[in-house]
């Protein structure tokens, strides 16, 4: 791992999972009820995560429907009846999620020293609720709804670049998601990338990122 990171013009973040705790499991468990054993539920949750990824690789459409369709596809795989209001329940849960405990203080410090940007895979209405919970100053917040594309589509990143009139090498992009963020960012020439390891993804060092366990560690690498 690098002992320092070049000073960027912008520090961009994924939001859900990276800064906000992606707490979808409890709502999913409630939707499933007692239809699966605990071991089966764990596998179902893994499948649901994979289908959410696949669901955003096409054309953009509303995030609540993305959640519903990914859940429905997972239920189909498991031979389960789909809750009619699954998407509504899952979307409502997003609005209640809070930052990871280790985020607010170091993120505020980071925002006092750098221009912070969010590039999020959600509709704008979710970020309107979630971003104020983070307690930091943000230079810009961009959403999949604004871009018209979800990550890992390149166009989501290109939207951020176009809005800021910036180049990939001017960013340090931080995410806890290798597949959604760090892989496409590397493809597009983002030379400075950080994987905030929250245990979501298998390490893929070929994509040239630095791994940290906390934002405090990131701040240290940036010299603040």
């Amino acid at each position: 791992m690098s002992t320092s990171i070049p000073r960027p013009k912008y520090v961009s973040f994924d939001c859900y999972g990276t800064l906000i705790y992606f707490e979808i499991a409890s709502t999913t468990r409630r939707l499933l009820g007692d239809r699966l054993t605990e071991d089966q539920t764990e596998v179902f949750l893994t499948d649901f995560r994979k289908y959410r990824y696949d669901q955003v690789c096409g054309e953009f459409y509303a995030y609540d429907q993305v959640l519903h369709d990914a859940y429905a596809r997972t239920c189909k795989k498991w031979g389960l009846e789909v809750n009619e209001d699954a998407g509504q329940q899952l979307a409502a849960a997003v609005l209640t999620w809070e930052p990871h405990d280790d985020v607010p203080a170091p993120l505020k410090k980071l925002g006092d020293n750098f221009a912070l940007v969010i590039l999020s895979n959600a509709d704008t209405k979710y970020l309107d609720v979630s971003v104020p919970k983070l307690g930091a100053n943000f230079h810009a917040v961009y959403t999949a709804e604004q871009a018209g594309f979800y990550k890992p589509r390149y166009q989501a990143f290109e939207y951020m670049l176009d809005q800021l009139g910036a180049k990939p090498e001017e960013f340090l992009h931080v995410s806890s998601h290798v597949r959604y963020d760090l892989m496409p960012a590397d493809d597009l020439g983002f030379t400075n990338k950080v994987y905030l390891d929250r245990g979501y993804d298998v390490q893929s060092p070929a994509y040239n990122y630095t791994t940290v366990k906390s934002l405090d560690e990131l701040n240290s690498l940036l010299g603040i």
Side-chain angles (χ1 to χ4, degrees):
M1 185 176 68
S2 301
T3 57
S4 64
I5 296 175
R7 186 175 181 87
K9 183 175 182 180
Y10 301 105
V11 180
S12 53
F13 283 93
D14 165 68
C15 185
Y16 295 107
T18 302
L19 300 176
I20 297 285
Y21 179 36
F22 196 90
E23 212 296 280
I24 203 165
S26 61
T27 305
T28 307
R29 289 176 184 276
R30 187 170 68 249
L31 290 168
L32 290 172
D34 61 358
R35 291 181 288 172
L36 298 176
T37 66
E38 178 58 30
D39 288 345
Q40 289 174 326
T41 298
E42 289 299 323
V43 180
F44 184 99
L45 289 168
T46 299
D47 288 343
F48 183 25
R49 181 168 184 250
K50 293 174 181 177
Y51 277 116
R52 290 197 305 274
Y53 177 84
D54 186 69
Q55 206 63 40
V56 298
C57 289
E59 297 300 316
F60 173 83
Y61 66 110
Y63 189 57
D64 57 348
Q65 193 63 47
V66 166
L67 292 173
H68 184 91
D69 292 349
Y71 177 77
R73 291 175 70 190
T74 313
C75 286
K76 180 179 179 181
K77 178 178 180 179
W78 283 81
L80 300 175
E81 184 177 348
V82 179
N83 316 62
E84 291 184 3
D85 64 342
Q88 296 172 358
Q89 290 195 46
L90 292 163
V94 176
L95 298 174
T96 70
W97 295 347
E98 298 290 333
H100 287 280
D101 291 341
D102 62 349
V103 163
L107 185 66
K108 183 181 185 307
K109 183 177 181 181
L110 193 61
D112 290 340
N113 288 271
F114 294 94
L116 301 186
V117 179
I118 282 179
L119 180 62
S120 177
N121 259 16
D123 297 353
T124 304
K125 64 182 179 182
Y126 299 101
L127 278 298
D128 288 344
V129 172
S130 297
V131 171
K133 298 178 182 180
L134 295 170
N137 294 320
F138 283 89
H139 178 76
V141 176
Y142 301 123
T143 69
E145 181 181 16
Q146 294 166 355
F149 296 92
Y150 287 103
K151 299 175 293 183
R153 300 292 302 276
Y154 292 171
Q155 292 96 327
F157 293 89
E158 290 168 342
Y159 176 82
M160 177 176 69
L161 296 173
D162 289 344
Q163 291 300 304
L164 293 170
K167 300 176 181 179
E169 57 268 27
E170 294 179 293
F171 287 80
L172 171 64
H173 189 65
V174 184
S175 180
S176 60
H177 307 290
V178 175
R179 295 178 73 192
Y180 283 97
D181 283 80
L182 301 180
M183 288 181 176
D186 191 71
D187 291 345
L188 288 169
F190 286 73
T191 52
N192 297 313
K193 301 174 294 298
V194 165
Y195 176 50
L196 178 53
D197 187 359
R198 299 202 184 278
Y200 295 134
D201 288 353
V202 176
Q203 290 274 18
S204 301
Y207 288 91
N208 304 304
Y209 54 76
T210 297
T211 299
V212 299
K213 294 290 187 179
S214 69
L215 289 186
D216 280 323
E217 185 179 352
L218 173 61
N219 285 350
S220 294
L221 292 176
L222 286 167
I224 61 172

